[in-house]
Amino acid sequence: MTSSAERLAQIRGGVSPRRHNARTIAALTGNPGCTRRAVLDSAGVDKPKLAERIGFPARFGQSRFAITRGNAFEAQVKADGGVELLRLVAERLGVPVPAGASWTDLGGAEDLPDRHERSRAALTDPGEGAALFDHPLLGLDVAGQRVHLEPDLVAARLAGRFHVVEIKSFPVIDGQADPVKVSAAAIQSAVYVLALRQLLAAEGHDPEQVSPDVVLVCPRDFANQPVASLLDVRKQLLVLRRQLDRMARIDALLADVPADFTADLTADPATLVAALSRVEARYAPECLAACELAYFCRHEARGHTTALGRPVREALGGIAEVSDVLALAEGVRTPEPEQGEAAALLRAAARLRADARTGNPA
């Protein structure tokens, strides 16, 4: 009998699995019901190359300018041993700004096991006083793979707890930031919180020492002056745990996948498209910002109500085809018993639209 590991290797074509990072793990939670994505990510398939191979390349990612700007802002915030950063974090947490906080740089070494050991020792050392840890190397198991994670910073022993600090270059204008970017930062931070909690638990410490309140540091308005805010990531932690647990149960996941399913990049595009079409996907417009296969799935969902978004799909009561929606709205099709309420709403909406177009009052 083929083991799960062998099956996953066959799916990706026997090449080494593509490693996850905090961004890709965070993206897993955006559509936890998508079997297609869960299988591909469990197998470590290179989804950007797969999307390009089948003719639907991904169209998102950070520009070089954004990366350069982000690196410059991070360096500015961390200057002088993190003095300004410590003040921002302490004030946002509502605690006195500690004097003489230690700064430990855990980055730079290429030897991952050595760097992980240095991070483990530093973060679990029961020292006293405030401390800041720059680029600690954490770990998390994803579908049987050990993934290395590198947060921007971990602030420790402030108010008796650890706080993950995320430094982002998107601006906070008049006290408001782009909600989509804030949401992405929250789920990415939840990945770090979970990894740090697991590290402490493995060393016999209370994982609740790691606060679910993440400190987000961004530039204020159109200047580079940093401002800190708090993100409560408890909800994101719940979603993240559920999805990681689901991927850990890979046998159950693979049971719904055809035995000959392949995402081998050496296969011809037509074979790959046919294979992907046999594994259930749950496309939604939000996928366009998070999944490399979203443009293929959108093309595949054309004519289906899934392409209109989850709220519309749910409001339509499970009516799958757009053509059926239009037929019910026009009254040329008799609804199924479970479609009666949705059909009535559709007919009412059609009448309102007709009245609006003719100028007649509703």
Side-chain angles (χ1 to χ4, degrees):
M1 180 179 294
T2 303
S3 69
S4 295
E6 291 172 332
R7 180 100 185 271
L8 293 174
Q10 291 172 358
I11 287 174
R12 66 175 178 267
V15 298
S16 298
R18 190 169 189 254
R19 288 199 172 275
H20 289 288
N21 55 39
R23 288 181 182 275
T24 62
I25 296 172
L28 298 178
T29 65
N31 195 355
C34 182
T35 299
R36 180 181 295 168
R37 170 152 197 165
V39 169
L40 293 175
D41 283 325
S42 296
V45 172
D46 191 330
K47 294 199 303 299
K49 289 185 179 179
L50 176 61
E52 187 173 351
R53 178 70 170 160
I54 61 177
F56 293 88
R59 304 177 194 175
F60 63 86
Q62 281 189 302
S63 67
R64 291 183 179 180
F65 173 74
I67 293 173
T68 300
R69 182 183 59 200
N71 290 339
F73 180 68
E74 180 180 336
Q76 173 192 333
V77 170
K78 293 181 178 180
D80 300 322
V83 173
E84 175 65 7
L85 182 60
L86 180 64
R87 182 191 66 80
L88 285 169
V89 173
E91 290 182 353
R92 178 50 59 192
L93 295 176
V95 301
V97 180
S102 64
W103 173 278
T104 304
D105 187 353
L106 295 167
E110 294 299 326
D111 187 339
L112 292 182
D114 173 70
R115 187 174 166 201
H116 185 269
E117 174 58 26
R118 289 193 299 113
S119 297
R120 183 201 63 77
L123 291 166
T124 58
D125 179 14
E128 296 182 358
L132 299 174
F133 301 91
D134 191 16
H135 289 99
L137 192 69
L138 305 175
L140 201 64
D141 288 326
V142 180
Q145 300 178 48
R146 191 63 177 173
V147 177
H148 295 294
L149 306 171
E150 187 177 20
D152 293 326
L153 189 90
V154 174
R157 294 191 294 272
L158 283 176
R161 306 189 76 179
F162 285 86
H163 287 270
V164 167
V165 177
E166 270 290 309
I167 302 173
K168 297 295 185 182
S169 61
F170 57 81
V172 175
I173 301 174
D174 293 332
Q176 300 292 324
D178 185 333
V180 174
K181 293 180 179 179
V182 172
S183 177
I187 186 60
Q188 186 175 330
S189 299
V191 175
Y192 297 139
V193 170
L194 181 59
L196 184 52
R197 284 184 171 182
Q198 290 187 359
L199 172 63
L200 293 183
E203 295 297 315
H205 298 286
D206 181 6
E208 294 302 316
Q209 289 182 18
V210 185
S211 173
D213 291 327
V214 170
V215 181
L216 177 65
V217 178
C218 299
R220 187 199 304 271
D221 298 327
F222 297 100
N224 276 336
Q225 180 185 0
V227 60
S229 56
L230 286 184
L231 297 178
D232 183 345
V233 300
R234 283 176 292 184
K235 178 181 177 181
Q236 289 81 0
L237 280 168
L238 290 173
V239 176
L240 178 62
R241 288 195 186 98
R242 283 199 299 268
Q243 182 66 344
L244 291 178
D245 288 346
R246 181 171 183 247
M247 292 177 69
R249 298 190 299 271
I250 189 62
D251 290 336
L253 197 62
L254 290 174
D256 296 328
V257 177
D260 59 348
F261 173 70
T262 182
D264 187 345
L265 294 175
T266 62
D268 64 84
T271 298
L272 291 172
V273 168
L276 289 170
S277 299
R278 296 168 64 197
V279 178
E280 182 184 6
R282 289 192 63 187
Y283 171 77
E286 306 93 271
C287 297
L288 295 172
C291 182
E292 294 86 346
L293 284 177
Y295 285 93
F296 168 72
C297 295
R298 184 179 69 171
H299 173 79
E300 187 181 50
R302 183 169 296 170
H304 295 262
T305 56
T306 54
L308 304 176
R310 294 189 185 98
V312 174
R313 182 180 60 201
E314 292 167 1
L316 291 173
I319 303 172
E321 303 291 334
V322 173
S323 58
D324 291 339
V325 171
L326 296 175
L328 289 169
E330 294 168 2
V332 298
R333 175 185 163 180
T334 302
E336 301 293 332
E338 68 275 9
Q339 297 174 344
E341 184 177 351
L345 291 173
L346 288 168
R347 288 194 296 270
R351 288 194 297 271
L352 288 173
R353 180 175 182 270
D355 290 341
R357 294 183 67 182
T358 58
N360 294 328

